[in-house]
Amino acid sequence: NAGVMQNPRHLVRRRGQEARLRCSPMKGHSHVYWYRQLPEEGLKFMVYLQKENIIDESGMPKERFSAEFPKEGPSILRIQQVVRGDSAAYFCASSPNGEVDTEAFFGQGTRLTVV
Amino acid sequence: EDQVTQSPEALRLQEGESSSLNCSYTVSGLRGLFWYRQDPGKGPEFLFTLYSAGEEKEKERLKATLTKKESFLHITAPKPEDSATYLCAVQEDNYGGSQGNLIFGKGTKLSVKP
């Protein structure tokens, strides 16, 4: 029973390139959350998705960032025209439903470095 | 202003030396308070959820308690394998029931020496 799978684990992009981060939730989980962890900072909520729907994107920067969770396949966090400030660890979590007492399982994260 | 503040930032203990980590929060209404453990290079691992003042939960050497303004994570007789960063997070009462929009503190980095 695989956990939340994120890939790649490490991603290096030059300024101006696009970064695509993938998250496959645990089997049976239909809720996905993305968080960003900057150096010396706490985890910051970015977006909450269910299959084919964005439920809450209040933590997403207004420009360059987008997320999707298609009917088939992993959830994708896309960052266009990356800048050095985008360098961070990006974590995905999944849960089977939206209840507050449901444990959300985190993946190992993708560490993005913009050079 | 930070809504979730953890202290101390770092804590070094000798094996067997019990201590407590603090998490203070300022939200209008608390739906739940969560504790996670994070090892270097890994994602957070869920430990506890607390919902109301006075509630306590235990897991092995860890015990979490909750008041109206703060939570404590008590570590009894810690071992070197307890070394990790411990994260506290809260969910405000105006959110629709999911664990999605958690507000995290910056964590306490615990080191336990043998």
Side-chain angles (χ1 to χ4, degrees):
Chain A
N1 184 17
V4 178
M5 304 299 293
Q6 290 189 247
N7 66 80
R9 290 293 309 276
H10 300 275
L11 181 62
V12 179
R13 283 288 177 265
R14 296 185 185 279
R15 282 178 294 171
Q17 289 185 320
E18 179 178 282
R20 286 195 182 194
L21 288 62
R22 296 175 185 78
C23 169
S24 296
M26 288 185 67
K27 187 177 181 179
H29 287 194
S30 59
H31 296 241
V32 166
Y33 320 89
W34 285 93
Y35 286 81
R36 175 165 65 175
Q37 189 171 39
L38 293 164
E40 308 304 321
E41 294 289 328
L43 285 152
K44 301 293 185 185
F45 169 78
M46 298 182 75
V47 62
Y48 163 36
L49 310 105
Q50 293 181 31
K51 286 282 188 180
E52 299 183 280
N53 287 306
I54 297 175
I55 306 302
D56 181 356
E57 55 182 348
S58 60
M60 287 279 272
K62 295 287 186 259
E63 298 178 346
R64 303 188 297 110
F65 285 72
S66 63
E68 63 177 7
F69 189 15
K71 186 177 181 180
E72 302 290 338
S75 175
I76 305 288
L77 179 67
R78 183 180 291 110
I79 311 172
Q80 296 177 305
Q81 299 176 330
V82 296
V83 300
R84 289 232 170 98
D86 297 332
S87 295
Y90 292 82
F91 290 95
C92 166
S94 74
S95 70
N97 56 50
E99 297 301 319
V100 71
D101 57 351
T102 300
E103 177 182 344
F105 293 86
F106 280 82
Q108 301 281 43
T110 293
R111 278 146 188 85
L112 172 66
T113 302
V114 180
V115 297
Chain B
E1 179 182 334
D2 289 345
Q3 292 177 281
V4 180
T5 304
Q6 292 189 245
S7 61
E9 290 185 12
L11 181 62
R12 302 181 73 171
L13 300 174
Q14 288 296 127
E15 184 171 2
E17 180 186 1
S18 300
S19 188
S20 296
L21 313 182
N22 177 263
C23 171
S24 61
Y25 60 91
T26 54
V27 294
S28 56
L30 181 71
R31 191 170 182 87
L33 184 140
F34 304 81
W35 282 99
Y36 287 86
R37 168 190 171 131
Q38 186 174 25
D39 292 294
K42 296 194 174 182
E45 175 188 342
F46 173 82
L47 294 174
F48 305 108
T49 307
L50 301 167
Y51 298 101
S52 57
E55 188 174 0
E56 298 182 353
K57 288 192 176 174
E58 289 188 64
K59 180 180 180 180
E60 296 181 355
R61 295 177 292 281
L62 301 177
K63 178 180 176 181
T65 62
L66 181 65
T67 71
K68 287 187 177 180
K69 292 186 177 181
E70 58 191 349
S71 176
F72 292 93
L73 185 65
H74 308 276
I75 303 176
T76 303
K79 298 182 177 182
E81 52 262 41
D82 294 323
S83 297
T85 295
Y86 290 84
L87 304 174
C88 171
V90 301
Q91 185 180 69
E92 292 189 276
D93 202 15
N94 58 359
Y95 198 77
S98 158
Q99 284 198 10
N101 196 2
L102 292 176
I103 305 166
F104 279 86
K106 295 181 181 180
T108 292
K109 185 175 182 179
L110 174 67
S111 299
V112 182
K113 301 298 181 186

